[in-house]
C-alpha cells in the first residue's frame, strides 16, 4: 500500500533534518506528483533544489537550480499567498540570480495585491527601476511608499525610506548629468565605457587610501600645529581628524561614483541583456578587462544566462523599453 502525500512529506522533512537533502528533494517531488496543491512540499522543493553551504562557504545556485527554484516558488505563492518568505526568496532569485527584472517587477506587484501594506515590494521595485535608469517610475513608487509609511509611523522604517530616497536622488542627479540607454549603440556613454575597458573600477578602499587619507593627513597636520600647545590639544586634534575623515569621505563619494560610472553603466547594459534576452554590448567591450571584472561579480546563474543570450546573437532593438506594471 502506497503512502499518503502527508506521510511522504513527513519522510521528506525527516530526511532533511538528517542532512540528506537529495532524498528530501526526491520525496518532496513525489509529494507534489500525488498532490499538486501541497504548498509546503513545493516550498521544500524551492529550498532543497538550492545548494547547501560547503565548509562554511555559501554556494550559489546554477541556472538550472535557480530556474527550478523560482518555478516551485511560483506554485507556493499561488497556493499560499501569505508565505512572506517565498515572496522574498523569489524576488532574490529573479533579480540577483536570473536577472529577470521585468518578471521581478511583476512579482512584487502581485505581492502588493496580497499584502497592500507590505513595504518590501516598494523598496524592491524602486531598487530595480533605479538600477535600470527608470527614474520617473521609481519616483512614483517612492511616493506611494511615503504614503504607506505615513499611515503606519515607524522610526526605523522612516529612516530606511530616507536612505532609499537619498540613493534615488543621488543616482537621479548623476543621470541628469550623464545618462545611458544601452539599447542605443550610438549613445555617447558607450564611448566612456570603451575608454575604460582596459581598467578595473576603483575600489572604495583604494580611493580612501589614495585620495581621502592624504587630505585628512594634511589637514590634520595643520591642525596639530595650531592646537599642539593647548591643553587637551591632542584629543582635540584626534576628534577633528575623525570628524574630518567622515566629512571628506562623504563629500568625495560622488567623485568615486563618477569615476566608476563606466562600471555602473556596463552593469546596466548587462541587466538590459538579461531582461530582454538580447545582446547590446559590443564585442570589443565584452572581451575587455572591465567586462570580465563586472561579469565576474555576478551570480553563476546570471553568468550562464548571459552566455546563452550572447550565443543567440539577437540584437536588442533601439526602441526596446522595459515592460513594468508600475507605469
Amino acid at each position: 500500500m502506497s503512502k499518503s502525500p502527508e506521510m511522504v512529506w513527513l519522510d521528506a522533512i525527516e530526511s532533511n533534518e538528517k542532512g540528506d537533502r537529495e532524498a528530501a528533494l526526491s520525496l518532496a517531488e513525489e509529494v507534489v506528483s500525488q498532490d499538486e496543491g501541497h504548498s509546503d512540499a513545493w516550498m521544500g522543493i524551492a529550498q532543497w533544489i538550492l545548494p547547501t553551504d560547503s565548509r562554511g562557504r555559501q554556494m550559489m545556485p546554477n541556472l538550472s537550480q535557480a530556474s527550478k527554484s523560482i518555478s516551485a516558488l511560483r506554485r507556493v505563492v499561488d497556493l499560499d499567498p501569505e508565505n512572506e518568505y517565498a515572496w522574498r526568496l523569489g524576488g532574490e532569485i529573479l533579480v540577483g540570480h536570473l536577472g529577470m527584472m521585468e518578471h521581478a517587477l511583476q512579482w512584487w506587484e502581485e505581492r502588493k495585491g496580497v499584502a497592500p501594506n507590505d513595504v518590501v515590494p516598494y523598496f524592491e521595485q524602486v531598487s530595480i527601476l533605479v538600477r535600470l535608469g527608470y527614474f520617473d517610475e521609481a519616483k512614483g513608487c517612492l511616493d506611494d511608499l511615503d504614503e504607506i509609511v505615513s499611515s503606519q509611523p515607524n522610526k526605523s522604517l522612516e529612516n530606511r525610506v530616507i536612505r532609499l530616497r537619498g540613493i534615488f536622488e543621488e543616482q537621479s542627479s548623476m543621470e541628469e548629468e550623464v545618462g545611458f540607454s544601452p539599447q542605443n549603440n550610438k549613445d555617447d556613454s558607450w564611448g566612456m565605457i570603451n575608454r575604460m575597458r582596459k581598467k578595473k573600477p576603483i575600489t572604495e578602499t583604494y580611493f580612501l587610501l589614495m585620495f581621502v587619507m592624504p587630505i585628512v593627513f594634511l589637514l590634520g597636520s595643520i591642525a596639530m600645529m595650531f592646537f599642539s600647545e593647548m591643553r587637551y590639544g591632542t584629543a582635540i586634534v584626534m576628534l577633528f581628524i575623525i570628524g574630518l575623515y567622515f566629512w571628506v569621505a562623504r563629500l568625495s563619494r560622488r567623485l568615486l561614483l563618477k569615476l566608476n560610472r563606466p562600471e555602473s553603466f556596463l552593469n546596466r547594459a548587462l541587466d538590459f541583456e538579461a531582461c530582454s534576452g538580447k545582446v547590446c554590448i559590443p564585442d570589443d567591450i565584452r572581451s575587455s578587462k572591465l567586462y570580465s571584472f563586472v561579469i565576474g561579480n555576478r551570480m553563476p546563474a546570471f553568468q550562464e544566462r548571459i552566455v546563452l543570450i550572447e550565443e543567440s546573437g539577437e540584437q536588442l532593438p533601439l526602441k526596446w523599453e522595459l515592460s513594468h506594471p508600475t507605469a
Side-chain angles (χ1 to χ4, degrees):
M1 182 177 178
S2 61
K3 292 184 177 180
S4 67
E6 282 302 325
M7 292 302 296
V8 177
W9 174 238
L10 291 175
D11 290 342
I13 295 174
E14 184 178 352
S15 295
N16 182 57
E17 290 175 347
K18 290 179 179 178
D20 192 348
R21 203 159 183 172
E22 187 174 336
L25 175 61
S26 178
L27 289 167
E29 289 173 340
E30 183 180 339
V31 172
V32 297
S33 69
Q34 298 181 42
D35 179 8
E36 293 186 358
H38 202 295
S39 64
D40 288 341
W42 282 114
M43 190 67 201
I45 292 172
Q47 292 178 282
W48 297 335
I49 196 71
L50 301 175
T52 57
D53 294 351
S54 176
R55 297 180 181 178
R57 180 186 174 192
Q58 186 177 7
M59 303 299 291
M60 296 300 168
N62 57 31
L63 181 57
S64 175
Q65 292 168 330
S67 299
K68 290 178 181 177
S69 181
I70 193 62
S71 295
L73 287 167
R74 290 187 189 280
R75 299 299 297 268
V76 174
V77 297
D78 285 342
L79 295 167
D80 181 15
E82 300 300 327
N83 191 326
E84 184 177 347
Y85 179 66
W87 286 104
R88 291 182 183 241
L89 180 58
E92 179 183 342
I93 290 174
L94 284 170
V95 174
H97 295 273
L98 297 175
M100 301 171 70
M101 304 300 181
E102 286 183 331
H103 292 273
L105 288 169
Q106 183 60 42
W107 176 268
W108 289 117
E109 193 68 19
E110 291 171 9
R111 173 61 180 170
K112 289 180 185 178
V114 173
N117 292 323
D118 186 1
V119 297
V120 173
Y122 295 92
F123 276 96
E124 295 295 334
Q125 286 183 328
V126 170
S127 298
I128 293 170
L129 291 167
V130 167
R131 180 170 167 171
L132 295 174
Y134 284 77
F135 292 96
D136 290 340
E137 293 79 2
K139 185 179 184 303
C141 277
L142 263 175
D143 293 340
D144 292 341
L145 178 58
D146 284 337
E147 291 182 13
I148 294 177
V149 173
S150 63
S151 66
Q152 46 184 23
N154 180 298
K155 195 64 178 178
S156 175
L157 185 57
E158 289 173 1
N159 289 335
R160 286 178 60 198
V161 174
I162 290 172
R163 288 195 296 270
L164 181 63
R165 187 169 285 279
I167 293 172
F168 164 79
E169 291 175 351
E170 178 182 66
Q171 293 295 323
S172 179
S173 64
M174 292 185 67
E175 191 76 12
E176 290 175 1
E177 294 176 11
V178 182
F180 180 47
S181 298
Q183 65 270 47
N184 181 6
N185 58 14
K186 295 183 179 179
D187 192 296
D188 292 340
S189 291
W190 279 119
M192 180 197 303
I193 297 172
N194 190 53
R195 288 191 296 273
M196 298 299 293
R197 72 183 189 278
K198 296 181 180 179
K199 300 179 181 179
K200 290 183 179 180
I202 300 173
T203 64
E204 186 173 0
T205 301
Y206 180 84
F207 183 75
L208 290 174
L209 289 174
M210 300 304 293
F211 180 78
V212 176
M213 290 304 294
I215 294 176
V216 173
F217 178 78
L218 176 62
L219 295 179
S221 299
I222 294 173
M224 181 63 77
M225 293 171 58
F226 284 98
F227 295 104
S228 60
E229 301 299 327
M230 293 178 57
R231 188 180 182 185
Y232 307 120
T234 302
I236 293 173
V237 171
M238 287 299 297
L239 291 173
F240 173 76
I241 289 175
I242 293 172
L244 183 65
Y245 170 80
F246 287 106
W247 181 69
V248 174
R250 184 175 181 180
L251 288 181
S252 60
R253 171 179 162 77
R254 189 176 180 87
L255 174 59
L256 177 61
L257 291 175
K258 284 185 176 181
L259 291 173
N260 284 337
R261 204 67 172 147
E263 177 202 8
S264 63
F265 281 162
L266 187 52
N267 267 309
R268 184 184 296 179
L270 276 171
D271 287 333
F272 268 56
E273 287 194 340
C275 190
S276 65
K278 298 175 175 60
V279 297
C280 64
I281 300 175
D283 291 339
D284 56 342
I285 292 177
R286 201 180 294 276
S287 60
S288 68
K289 180 184 291 187
L290 177 62
Y291 180 87
S292 297
F293 177 86
V294 171
I295 194 68
N297 286 326
R298 294 301 188 101
M299 296 296 179
F302 184 93
Q303 295 178 24
E304 287 184 58
R305 277 202 73 218
I306 290 297
V307 169
L308 294 175
I309 292 168
E310 181 186 356
E311 289 175 351
S312 73
E314 187 176 353
Q315 288 294 318
L316 180 65
L318 177 62
K319 295 183 179 180
W320 183 87
E321 287 293 339
L322 179 74
S323 174
H324 49 89
T326 58

